[in-house]
């Protein structure tokens, strides 16, 4: 079995100095081989710290759909590429709900990342009221298909299923809820792209992942790893999640 991917979304946390300290601590705590399973998404102000090393994969939390122009405050995918970032989150629930990003804008952002060979990690997920109204599958299908409709089959893509009600709330989805959503997303990929390319897309679960719930979540079908917010801010918790999710494989 493959190692689970552990991706840390730092949101608006950590200074450049704190980022550098975290990176050295992480490199000491984890073997070179296992480090390949980690990805960090630092704030844009700290990209330069990540750019200066090659052991840990990293990416942007957000990039704009244009690479230059009069777009005050935005991040350029071209700059991310030049700085050797390999990934970008797209459509994180905080971007969709606080910054009101539409499916249409998110699809444009994915296309612009492809121009620079950056792998999009597309986040999808339903709100609590959508889940309670029985709309979970409709919502995540719409969010995924609006991107699949504009990119070539078999494009490099990561997906993250993050129920909005589980993000930063301590209320993790049950393993069964997560498994159902992941299988549903995999089926959409299979219908659109066929078996091989659908299996090549890692689908990560996100929303209150901690060392003590990672093992059971990681045992579920179609959960290839985790997108971790709060618990990615300390090396102990971040590596604790990695270790817990590997232990089911022994
Ligand atoms: P959380 O955040 O782990 O703090 O719930 C996850 C995310 O926002 O990606």
């Amino acid at each position: 079995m493959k190692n689970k991917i552990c991706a840390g979304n730092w949101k608006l946390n950590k200074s450049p100095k704190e980022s550098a300290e975290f990176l050295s601590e992480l490199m000491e705590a984890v073997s070179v081989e296992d480090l390949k399973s980690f990805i960090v998404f630092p704030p844009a102000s700290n990209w330069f710290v990540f750019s200066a090393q090659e052991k840990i994969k990293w990416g942007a939390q957000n990039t704009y759909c244009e690479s230059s122009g009069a777009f005050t405050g935005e991040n350029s995918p071209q700059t991310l590429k030049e700085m050797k970032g390999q990934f970008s989150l797209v459509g994180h629930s905080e971007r969709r709900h606080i910054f009101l990003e539409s499916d249409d804008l998110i699809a444009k952002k994915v296309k612009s990342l492809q121009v620079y060979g950056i792998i999009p990690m597309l986040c999808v997920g339903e709100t609590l009221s959508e889940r309670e109204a029985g709309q979970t599958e409709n919502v995540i299908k719409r969010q995924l298909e609006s991107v699949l409709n504009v990119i070539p089959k078999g494009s490099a893509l990561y997906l993250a299923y993050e129920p909005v009600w589980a993000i930063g709330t301590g209320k993790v989805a049950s393993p069964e809820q997560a498994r159902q959503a992941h299988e549903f997303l995999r089926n959409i990929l299979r219908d659109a792209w066929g078996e091989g390319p659908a299996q090549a897309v890692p689908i990560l679960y996100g929303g209150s992942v901690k060392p003590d719930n990672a093992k059971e979540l990681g045992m579920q079908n179609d959960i290839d790893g985790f997108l971790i917010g709060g618990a990615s801010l300390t090396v102990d918790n971040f590596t604790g999640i990695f270790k817990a999710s590997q232990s089911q494989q022994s």
Side-chain angles (χ1 to χ4, degrees):
M1 278 179 96
K2 280 197 276 179
N3 282 351
K4 302 292 173 190
I5 298 157
C6 287
N9 173 14
W10 283 0
K11 312 190 181 188
L12 190 50
N13 291 295
K14 292 199 190 290
S15 67
K17 183 168 171 279
E18 289 165 340
S19 298
E21 285 163 4
F22 183 100
L23 283 180
S24 353
E25 215 187 303
L26 182 61
M27 286 181 204
E28 262 178 42
V30 179
S31 72
V32 173
E33 191 51 34
D34 286 350
L35 271 183
K36 293 180 187 158
S37 299
F38 287 81
I39 307 171
V40 180
F41 294 95
S45 51
N46 306 358
W47 286 0
F48 73 94
V49 177
F50 285 76
S51 188
Q53 57 79 48
E54 286 179 348
K55 289 199 179 124
I56 294 169
K57 290 183 264 188
W58 65 280
Q61 295 173 12
N62 173 46
T63 44
Y64 196 51
C65 58
E66 301 285 343
S67 56
S68 63
F71 306 109
T72 304
E74 291 293 336
N75 300 317
S76 163
Q78 183 183 357
T79 302
L80 180 63
K81 182 68 186 177
E82 270 184 37
M83 294 180 76
K84 305 194 186 73
Q86 301 100 328
F87 294 87
S88 180
L89 296 179
V90 193
H92 186 276
S93 91
E94 285 146 24
R95 300 297 316 173
R96 292 180 190 267
H97 298 288
I98 303 175
F99 300 100
L100 306 180
E101 290 192 3
S102 64
D103 287 333
D104 187 41
L105 176 63
I106 288 162
K108 285 188 184 140
K109 289 183 172 196
V110 168
K111 284 183 73 172
S112 74
L113 289 167
Q114 290 192 321
V115 171
Y116 295 99
I118 296 165
I119 302 173
M121 186 180 285
L122 173 68
C123 305
V124 300
E126 80 288 358
T127 62
L128 184 58
S129 58
E130 288 164 341
R131 175 162 282 269
E132 286 171 349
Q135 290 302 309
T136 298
E137 293 195 343
N138 286 343
V139 170
I140 62 179
K141 184 172 197 269
R142 189 200 75 226
Q143 292 173 337
L144 174 54
E145 286 186 343
S146 62
V147 166
L148 294 184
N149 288 341
V150 301
I151 61 174
K153 284 186 185 179
S155 294
L157 180 69
Y158 279 47
L159 271 185
Y161 169 62
E162 298 203 301
V164 179
W165 48 271
I167 296 178
T169 58
K171 279 190 216 151
V172 64
S174 71
E176 177 62 14
Q177 286 171 324
R179 184 186 60 74
Q180 279 174 1
H182 282 234
E183 286 180 355
F184 178 73
L185 292 167
R186 185 83 68 198
N187 281 334
I188 296 172
L189 288 167
R190 201 175 271 126
D191 288 347
W193 287 1
E195 182 64 23
Q199 290 295 347
V201 176
I203 310 181
L204 314 189
Y205 168 80
S208 296
V209 178
K210 303 276 177 313
D212 63 5
N213 56 31
K215 179 173 177 172
E216 214 187 338
L217 284 164
M219 286 164 71
Q220 306 306 310
N221 204 21
D222 283 316
I223 297 189
D224 301 309
F226 306 106
L227 181 55
I228 307 151
S232 70
L233 294 172
T234 65
V235 169
D236 265 6
N237 282 330
F238 202 24
T239 57
I241 288 169
F242 177 76
K243 284 182 200 138
S245 64
Q246 310 315 122
S247 60
Q248 43 107 3
Q249 298 175 20
S250 54

